[in-house]
Amino acid sequence: MSTESGTFLDQFPAEAKVVRTAFYSSFVALFVGALMGILQVLHRTDVLRIVDSADYYSLLTLHAVLLVLSFSVFFLVGIFTWAVTTSLDRGLQDLRYTWAWYGLMALGTLLAGIAVLGAFIPGLDMSAAVLYTFYAPLQAHPFYYLGLALFIVGTWLAGLDWFRSWWAWKKDNPDERIPLPTFMALTTTLFWILSSAGVAVSVLAFLLPWSLGIIDQVNALLTRTLFWYFGHAVVYFWLMPAYLLWYTMLPKISGGKLFSDPLARVVFVLFLILSTPTGIHHQYLDPGIAEGFKFIAMVNTMFLLLPSLLTAFTVVASMEHGARQRGGSGLFGWLRALPWRDPVFTGMALAGLMFAAAGFSGMINAGMNINYLVHNTWWVVGHFHLTVGTAVALTFMAATYWFLPQLTGKAIWSKSLGLVQVLVWFVGMTFMSNSMHRQGLIGVPRRTAEPQYSGFDYEVAVGSMAELNMQVIIGGTLLFISTLLFLTVVVMTVIGDKVDGLPDNGYADTLSGPEDAPLVLDNLKLWAGIAALLVILAYSLPLAAIITRGGILGPGGSPSPQFVDTLLFVGRVAADTVGGVIA
Amino acid sequence: MSSELEREIGHDEFDPVGTLGLITIYFLILVVLWIFMYFVEFAGGDLTVVGVVV
Ligand code: HEM
Ligand SMILES: [Cu+2]
């Protein structure tokens, strides 16, 4: 596959430096984010409150922004850069350009971080306690919005970098199929640009000018809807690189091959098409959006079950293939033949298991009526600590034990400690997330510094509130310890000496290769077009209704049942169209 | 890695029965939880939303 074998560092030293730097940035964010995480746990449960409860929301904002934007996204641009470079077997087109997008992302993180931390500097009139969703009328310092915008533009330029590599490669290899890892990076880039354009408009056209004082007010529902236009797709932006690792690394580490390259392509195409027109499922409880639009979002969401189940099947089948090649047998006996002592394998497998559990809470969230039961409770926080907080985060940590030697030429300092680390994360998250789900069911709210109310007790059906809180404390502490273990292994590895005899760079072969995949799957223009069309179908009417009713800069709104407005609006559009056609 | 392999299994000899078993179990768990949800949400007393609003 490669002109020159060896580690990624041997093959592409300059690109390895980029990926390494992206990873280190991601780990710094992980450390600060996890520190905020444990502080939140202790604050909410009233074990230790080192900040004023009013400042809790600054910690929470920092936690979320650093973990879901900086930690996840810095890591994933590293993975995609590795994936494209390795699978096309060619360096990036222009490294100055590459460093430029990295620089934008770093600057963006710094600005947003400063805006949040400014709240703790006495005398400085700066804060951004707007939480990760930054709903108006909560307002942040302009640095926060500017930072987010720069960060996102940085990721777009990164996506373009991967496209440039592919375009150049295609010139030299006109008749070849897009290698699978590159295909995954490109399809992800496409829906990421399509979806994050929404949040970019929200920030640049409304929130930033508003926080600079150029405009007086914004239409809160409009900015919120634009946020969620990106807010569901972004979860797939985090998840697709984890999928990439599950599809292209996990089979190899299990000792086998990827079950099916065509299925993998189908899955990524489905995510490209479906990830954006679903965002309204986060707004089931928002007044001002008609039920019908929410229903459409729900149906689109249910379609997403398809690629998720396809993934479960393909990934597990690939592991089974590996286990049987290693001598495993029996209906389930092969599970024992898997390399459970390898932290890379075990971390990713446990991450996948947690993701399966999250599938259930996700189904509850996705149902329009059942969602009312859990909306804005701690259930939701329990859910996404299983998805982004474990399926993605633990996969990334586990993958680090494979990538770090590839990027530094050094051996992992202690693989056994790595194994302990991934296990501790799994156990910690089991406690924390389980309790968060259960607390949510009895109505404990999320985003609350002091969820204790005088004259009111939660009705806990099984167990007690003290027991539930104890689980969160134990879980949160284990998670924090696991993070420290992870960073210890990383630092000790990086300061170690270079060694020889590291495994070669590469990824899994396939049982059924691209030659079995219909050519149309590689037609990225077609899929991007369909994705855009679905977005227009799902969003043009809701957005038009929100703007006509509330004004582009709001505020406004009518107390009438919203579906009446929408019916009238749809009627008017239909009448105009018919009129236009006749005239 | 490849040194640990005991045998090579090609596309046609590989029949992922274990995977089918695992996925079936997962599916059954989902169904059972789904039914359980009915009791948590509805049978436990008032309808959460309707009860509050009306
Ligand atoms: C050390 C491990 C972690 C601990 C102890 C922890 C703890 C917490 C707690 C207690 C909350 C809820 C606060 C509240 O509702 O009042 C929270 C929120 C959150 N966490 Fe974590 N977490 C950890 C890791 C992660 C990871 C790895 C991610 C993602 C990659 C993540 C993403 C989030 C997000 C997005 C929120 C919601 C913020 C908001 O409501 O705006 N956390 N975390
Ligand atoms: Cu969503």
Side-chain angles (χ1 to χ4, degrees), chain A residues 25-38:
Chain A
S25 318
S26 139
F27 299 153
V28 173
L30 174 65
F31 173 68
V32 182
L35 186 63
M36 298 302 119
I38 185 70

Side-chain angles (χ1 to χ4, degrees), chain A residues 324-557:
Chain A
R324 294 200 188 277
Q325 291 207 123
R326 292 163 64 101
S329 61
L331 184 57
F332 298 124
W334 55 271
L335 285 167
R336 261 175 308 172
L338 288 167
W340 292 106
R341 282 175 195 287
D342 181 352
V344 184
F345 173 81
T346 302
M348 288 198 205
L350 293 179
L353 189 63
M354 286 241 149
F355 194 54
F360 175 69
S361 50
M363 273 163 59
I364 297 287
N365 301 341
M368 248 170 93
N369 53 346
I370 317 170
N371 180 280
Y372 296 160
L373 176 68
V374 295
H375 203 92
N376 273 339
T377 69
W378 237 19
W379 167 285
V380 177
V381 184
H383 167 73
F384 62 67
H385 279 88
L386 292 181
T387 52
V388 66
T390 299
V392 174
L394 187 55
T395 297
F396 287 180
M397 289 188 262
T400 302
Y401 298 130
W402 185 83
F403 274 106
L404 217 47
Q406 294 294 322
L407 299 173
T408 58
K410 300 169 182 175
I412 290 297
W413 176 63
S414 165
K415 282 208 157 197
S416 347
L417 200 61
L419 188 61
V420 172
Q421 184 263 318
V422 297
L423 289 171
V424 172
W425 187 279
F426 182 79
V427 174
M429 196 53 91
T430 305
F431 277 113
M432 188 170 93
S433 162
N434 170 54
S435 170
M436 283 174 164
H437 278 97
R438 283 173 57 201
Q439 295 205 17
L441 282 180
I442 53 173
V444 176
R446 66 183 285 198
R447 299 180 153 175
T448 303
E450 298 182 13
Q452 293 86 15
Y453 304 94
S454 62
F456 168 82
D457 286 317
Y458 294 106
E459 284 175 39
V460 189
V462 186
S464 68
M465 203 59 201
E467 174 248 338
L468 288 175
N469 277 335
M470 190 45 79
Q471 280 200 45
V472 172
I473 296 166
I474 294 173
T477 309
L478 288 177
L479 288 168
F480 186 63
I481 292 173
S482 171
T483 311
L484 294 182
L485 289 178
F486 172 73
L487 294 171
T488 308
V489 177
V490 168
V491 170
M492 294 307 287
T493 304
V494 170
I495 61 177
D497 294 324
K498 288 202 178 177
V499 295
D500 291 328
L502 290 170
D504 286 348
N505 184 27
Y507 56 93
D509 286 333
T510 53
L511 273 177
S512 156
E515 60 287 352
D516 299 328
L519 259 181
V520 63
L521 283 176
D522 286 15
N523 188 342
L524 296 182
K525 284 200 186 104
L526 173 70
W527 303 120
I530 294 180
L533 187 72
L534 282 181
V535 162
I536 293 171
L537 286 179
Y539 268 100
S540 50
L541 285 180
L543 284 177
I546 290 169
I547 294 171
T548 28
R549 201 176 325 108
I552 188 113
L553 293 178

Side-chain angles (χ1 to χ4, degrees), chain A residues 252-253 255 257 259 312-313 316-317 320-321 324-328 331-332 334 356 359-360 363-364 370 372-373 441 511-512, chain B residues 1 4-11 14-23 25-26 30 33-34 37 40-42 48-49:
Chain A
K252 185 179 152 94
I253 292 159
K257 295 179 176 174
F259 185 63
F313 180 81
V316 177
E320 180 176 355
H321 179 251
R324 294 200 188 277
Q325 291 207 123
R326 292 163 64 101
L331 184 57
F332 298 124
W334 55 271
F360 175 69
M363 273 163 59
I364 297 287
I370 317 170
Y372 296 160
L373 176 68
L441 282 180
L511 273 177
S512 156
Chain B
M1 237 18 83
E4 293 173 19
L5 293 194
E6 293 194 1
R7 57 184 171 224
E8 182 90 34
I9 302 177
H11 184 265
F14 179 51
D15 189 9
V17 279
T19 300
L20 189 66
L22 287 178
I23 302 267
I25 293 176
Y26 176 57
L30 283 187
L33 281 175
W34 189 256
M37 182 277 300
V40 173
E41 162 66 344
F42 299 113
T48 313
V49 179

